């Protein structure tokens, strides 16, 4: 399919593009950020009509004709002339299954975003007539909000309707918008917000023992949960608290995750579409970025309090989700180094419920869901068991690069979400109990204002056992043995010892004892380099240098080190940071 004579443009990357391209570039599997959808093809007109509709969308949206230079100077390039190969695939006895398999095949191939168009298409036929359109696109070109627009436009074209005028702003134009004084101030405020939050949150929500076997992949099975009853429960709690139903879901997740992990602050990365400026309403492209939303339950007594906390924390979080990703990652890395932590983006919440309204059927249920393949279409009504108040089913594992990924799909007549959970965090039986507990919590909260101390009675999912090998330090659960392992790698055979003692401000303070001529500043810098990815270790808070170490048989004796004179002392924390 050829296109020619269209405007050609070149410009810098917008924040959304830079955010996604950074993720694609550093990811060991860039296909994770490919989106796949299957739509119905128009009933008449044959292959030519399908090709005409694809051509219409290709001409209409510059993001579908954009390639990217990812090395300096980074830029986006809108091409005016080119060709798109559209596969035609015989659907065989089950065209929809063929469409699903075709979508997964096309999604599994990385895009060369510097040389090829950022989307692929295939037409699935039955007896020579088109039945389904497979659309696979790089996240660099489209986010979920753009998926909603795409489906609405495809549906309108298939129904023979004309499309309204395209939005005025294309991705290249967003760069100019982001350079206006008001948006620049918004971005600067976002950087300050992220700095203030990273300065006080736990480094990880899901802390696994450092002896957990290394993972070879991020394949997580998905637990799909559906319930009509829970949808009514959500409405009841939302009406009572003045929050959105989405906020109630997030509060329930935070309450259960806090119970499970023994964290008073549950740090959620919630994905934001960033269509907050009127000029961006209807924008077709990729603007999605992270909203950092810590839910602090310290001092709260009821679940309604948690819902209100999510609502109040969500306002600044989403307001500060539009930013220069390079600046924010400098902040994340800088604050992490200043605190001596390794910040982990391990809990992600993605509310995609708006996409349910884009289904072919008036019923918003779908045969398939992102992050796999989105296939609009009617599913059988949910079969709710009286004991559960809903139904749960397992989905094939997906490659999800975080510990706990929540995809929220429906919030109106039916509540539906999928939990993609690292099996080392919750095994299948524990994940099922988490799902049951979620529905039970919503039911209890709908009946009356629920005390937080009643949550343990709603679930058999026990809190993680934090025995003698765990301590809370600077809001993070750590293992002193993991810190000692870290310092052993840094120090090699040089004498040293890490000790831990209670501290009124931090909970527990870590001290690393060294022997002259060891330079504590150098040891600390090497420790920070080795720290990333060790979510149960942090860098020592201070370093003490002794003129000589204790006898060889007392090198592991804290009292022996404490009795030695100190010739130098250095802090493992920069001045001026706030602490828990």
């Amino acid at each position: 399919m050829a296109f020619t004579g269209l405007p050609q443009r070149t410009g810098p990357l917008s924040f959304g593009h830079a955010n996604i391209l950074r993720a694609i570039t550093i990811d060991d599997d860039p296909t994770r950020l490919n989106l796949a959808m299957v739509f119905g093809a128009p009933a008449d007109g044959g292959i030519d009509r399908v090709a005409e509709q694809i051509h219409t969308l290709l001409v209409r949206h510059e993001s579908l004709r954009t390639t990217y230079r990812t090395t300096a100077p980074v830029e986006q390039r809108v091409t005016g002339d080119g060709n798109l190969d559209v596969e035609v695939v015989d659907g065989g006895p089950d065209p929809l299954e063929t469409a699903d398999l075709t979508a997964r095949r096309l999604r599994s191939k990385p895009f060369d975003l510097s040389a090829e168009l950022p989307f692929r298409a295939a037409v699935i036929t039955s007896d020579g007539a088109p039945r389904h359109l497979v659309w696979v696109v790089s996240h660099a070109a489209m986010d979920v909000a753009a998926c909603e627009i795409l489906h609405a436009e495809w549906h309108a074209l298939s129904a023979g309707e004309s499309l309204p005028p395209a939005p005025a702003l294309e991705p290249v134009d967003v760069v100019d918008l982001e350079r206006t004084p008001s948006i620049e101030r918004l971005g600067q405020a976002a950087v300050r917000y992220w700095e203030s939050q990273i300065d006080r949150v736990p480094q990880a929500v899901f802390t696994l023992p450092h002896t957990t076997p290394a993972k070879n992949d991020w394949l997580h099975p998905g637990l799909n949960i559906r319930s009509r009853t829970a949808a009514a429960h959500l409405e009841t709690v939302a009406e009572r608290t003045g929050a959105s139903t989405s906020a109630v879901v997030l509060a329930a997740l935070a309450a259960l995750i806090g119970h499970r992990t023994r964290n008073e602050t549950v740090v959620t990365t919630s994905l934001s579409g960033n269509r907050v400026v009127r000029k961006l309403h209807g924008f077709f492209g990729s603007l999605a970025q992270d909203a950092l939303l810590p839910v602090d339950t310290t001092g709260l007594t009821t679940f309604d309090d948690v819902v209100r906390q999510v609502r109040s924390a969500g306002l600044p979080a989403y307001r500060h989700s539009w930013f220069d990703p390079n600046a924010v990652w400098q902040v994340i890395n800088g604050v992490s180094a200043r605190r001596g932590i390794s910040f982990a983006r391990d809990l992600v919440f993605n509310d995609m419920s708006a996409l349910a309204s884009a289904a072919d059927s008036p019923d918003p249920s779908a045969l398939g869901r992102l992050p796999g393949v989105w296939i609009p279409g009617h599913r059988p009504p949910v079969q709710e068991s009286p004991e559960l108040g809903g139904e749960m089913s397992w989905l094939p594992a997906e490659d999800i690069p975080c510990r706990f990924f929540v995809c929220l799909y429906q919030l109106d007549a039916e509540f539906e979400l999928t939990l993609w959970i690292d099996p080392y965090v919750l095994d299948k039986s524990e994940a099922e109990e988490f799902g049951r507990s979620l529905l039970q919590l919503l039911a209890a909260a709908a009946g009356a204002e629920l005390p937080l101390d009643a949550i343990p009675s709603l679930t058999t999912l026990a809190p993680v056992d934090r025995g003698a090998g765990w301590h809370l330090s600077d809001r993070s659960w750590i293992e002193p043995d993991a810190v000692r392992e870290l310092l052993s790698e840094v120090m090699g055979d040089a004498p040293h010892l890490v000790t831990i003692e209670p501290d009124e401000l931090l909970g527990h303070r870590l001290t690393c004892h060294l022997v002259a001529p060891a330079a504590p500043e150098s040891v600390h810098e090497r420790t920070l380099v080795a720290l990333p990815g060790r979510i149960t270790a942090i860098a020592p808070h201070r370093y003490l240098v002794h003129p000589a170490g204790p006898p060889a048989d007392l090198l592991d004796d804290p009292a022996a080190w404490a009795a030695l004179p100190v010739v130098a002392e250095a802090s493992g924390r920069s001045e001026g940071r706030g602490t828990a």
Side-chain angles (χ1 to χ4, degrees):
M1 177 189 303
F3 58 92
T4 186
L6 301 176
Q8 300 188 91
R9 300 206 285 169
T10 302
L13 299 181
S14 67
F15 293 161
H17 281 139
N19 183 54
I20 294 297
L21 288 173
R22 177 189 180 279
I24 292 173
T25 301
I26 67 174
D27 201 327
D28 58 355
D29 181 8
T31 65
R32 291 188 182 113
L33 290 169
N34 291 345
L35 306 176
M37 292 161 283
V38 174
F39 303 144
D44 55 357
I47 298 293
D48 290 343
R49 182 178 175 189
V50 174
E52 180 183 344
Q53 291 183 195
I54 296 173
H55 186 269
T56 297
L57 295 169
L58 188 61
V59 171
R60 180 177 173 85
H61 299 298
E62 288 188 359
S63 69
L64 301 178
R65 296 183 279 110
T66 299
T67 58
Y68 304 91
R69 180 188 174 103
T70 56
T71 57
V74 294
E75 62 182 10
Q76 53 180 312
R77 302 166 173 171
V78 182
T79 182
D81 303 281
N83 188 71
L84 174 70
D85 292 328
V86 178
E87 288 190 39
V88 178
V89 180
D90 184 349
D94 191 339
L96 187 57
E97 181 181 10
T98 301
D100 187 1
L101 293 173
T102 301
R104 293 180 184 276
R105 172 174 59 82
L106 295 179
R107 181 180 181 240
S108 68
K109 179 184 176 183
F111 283 97
D112 180 357
L113 293 173
S114 64
E116 66 174 312
L117 297 181
F119 83 102
R120 305 178 180 120
V123 181
I124 311 302
T125 64
S126 177
D127 296 328
R131 292 286 301 277
H132 304 287
L133 172 73
V134 172
W135 187 286
V136 175
V137 63
S138 169
H139 207 332
M142 291 174 60
D143 55 19
V144 171
C147 291
E148 298 173 40
I149 298 170
L150 172 72
H151 188 276
E153 292 183 345
W154 180 261
H155 195 72
L157 291 172
S158 298
E161 301 171 2
S162 58
L163 299 181
L169 293 186
E170 296 282 3
V172 174
D173 306 312
V174 171
V175 177
D176 294 330
L177 176 63
E178 290 172 340
R179 290 177 174 176
T180 60
S182 60
I183 303 302
E184 284 187 339
R185 288 193 296 270
L186 189 67
Q188 293 162 0
V191 172
R192 293 192 297 270
Y193 169 83
W194 276 74
E195 182 171 23
S196 69
Q197 299 304 314
I198 297 294
D199 209 23
R200 67 180 186 86
V201 300
Q203 69 172 350
V205 176
F206 300 100
T207 46
L208 302 173
H210 71 293
T211 55
T212 301
K215 292 178 65 66
N216 296 321
D217 56 50
W218 284 98
L219 285 177
H220 298 346
L223 180 63
N224 183 252
I225 303 170
R226 299 174 65 196
S227 172
R228 295 187 307 275
T229 303
H233 293 158
L234 286 168
E235 289 289 350
T236 299
V237 179
E239 184 176 353
R240 187 174 68 231
T241 59
S244 67
T245 50
S246 179
V248 178
V249 174
L250 185 51
L253 292 165
L256 285 174
I257 290 170
H259 161 74
R260 170 66 173 179
T261 63
R262 297 184 186 269
N263 281 307
E264 289 188 330
T265 298
V266 175
V267 186
T268 306
T269 301
S270 183
L271 302 186
S272 172
N274 282 333
R275 268 70 171 178
V276 293
V277 178
R278 180 174 298 179
K279 290 182 178 180
L280 292 173
H281 290 180
F283 173 79
F284 192 99
S286 194
L287 289 176
Q289 290 183 271
D290 289 347
L292 187 67
L293 204 165
V295 183
D296 189 352
T297 60
T298 306
L300 304 185
T301 59
T302 70
F303 177 67
D304 282 15
D305 292 335
V306 181
V307 174
R308 296 186 184 99
Q309 176 71 4
V310 170
R311 182 185 63 183
S312 61
L315 292 174
Y318 291 112
R319 186 168 63 245
H320 295 119
S321 63
W322 192 6
F323 48 76
D324 179 348
N326 294 322
V328 163
W329 274 103
Q330 286 179 0
V331 161
I332 293 173
N333 294 333
V335 175
S336 294
R338 195 164 75 226
R339 288 181 63 187
I341 66 169
S342 176
F343 176 72
R345 180 183 182 267
D346 59 354
L347 171 58
V348 177
F349 178 75
N350 192 6
D351 182 355
M352 295 188 283
S353 57
L355 191 52
S357 62
D360 281 324
S361 167
D363 187 320
S365 65
L367 299 173
R369 298 291 199 190
L370 294 172
V373 180
W374 178 271
I375 307 177
H378 177 71
R379 278 193 299 171
V382 58
Q383 300 297 314
E384 298 191 6
S385 68
E387 300 81 10
L388 181 62
E391 69 173 26
M392 296 191 300
S393 59
W394 284 101
L395 304 179
E398 292 285 349
D399 197 4
I400 307 290
C402 66
R403 299 285 181 197
F404 202 110
F405 184 36
V406 182
C407 289
L408 180 58
Y409 297 119
Q410 292 192 77
L411 280 169
D412 40 28
E414 181 181 308
F415 166 62
E416 182 189 359
L417 85 169
T418 295
L419 308 174
W420 306 92
I421 307 174
D422 185 338
Y424 285 117
V425 169
L426 297 174
D427 62 27
K428 277 198 168 184
S429 63
E430 291 171 331
E432 289 174 352
E433 176 57 23
F434 188 97
R436 283 191 289 268
S437 303
L438 178 64
L439 295 177
Q440 290 164 0
L441 190 158
L442 294 175
E449 193 162 350
L450 179 68
L452 286 182
D453 58 13
I455 288 179
S457 67
L458 299 175
T459 178
T460 62
L461 189 66
V464 174
D465 182 13
R466 305 290 187 190
W470 293 89
H471 291 80
L472 195 60
S473 179
D474 195 8
R475 294 198 177 194
S476 298
W477 283 106
I478 65 164
E479 297 174 291
D481 284 350
V483 182
R484 294 182 183 112
E485 183 181 277
L486 167 65
L487 266 296
S488 292
E489 292 184 17
V490 171
M491 297 298 297
D493 295 332
H496 67 282
L497 182 69
V498 175
T499 61
I500 185 167
E501 53 275 338
D503 181 89
E504 184 177 351
L505 184 63
L506 291 168
H508 289 85
R509 183 177 296 272
L510 296 169
T511 300
C512 182
H513 298 267
L514 306 169
V515 175
E521 292 81 3
S522 174
V523 172
H524 183 64
E525 288 301 319
R526 299 203 312 270
T527 300
L528 293 179
V529 170
L531 183 60
R534 303 172 189 256
I535 57 174
T536 65
I538 59 176
H541 297 95
R542 65 172 179 166
Y543 297 83
L544 299 180
V545 182
H546 306 281
D553 60 338
L554 296 177
L555 284 176
D556 293 331
D557 185 351
W561 284 90
L564 298 174
V566 176
V567 297
E569 180 175 352
S571 173
R573 299 297 184 270
S574 302
E575 296 295 326
R577 67 165 290 267
T579 55

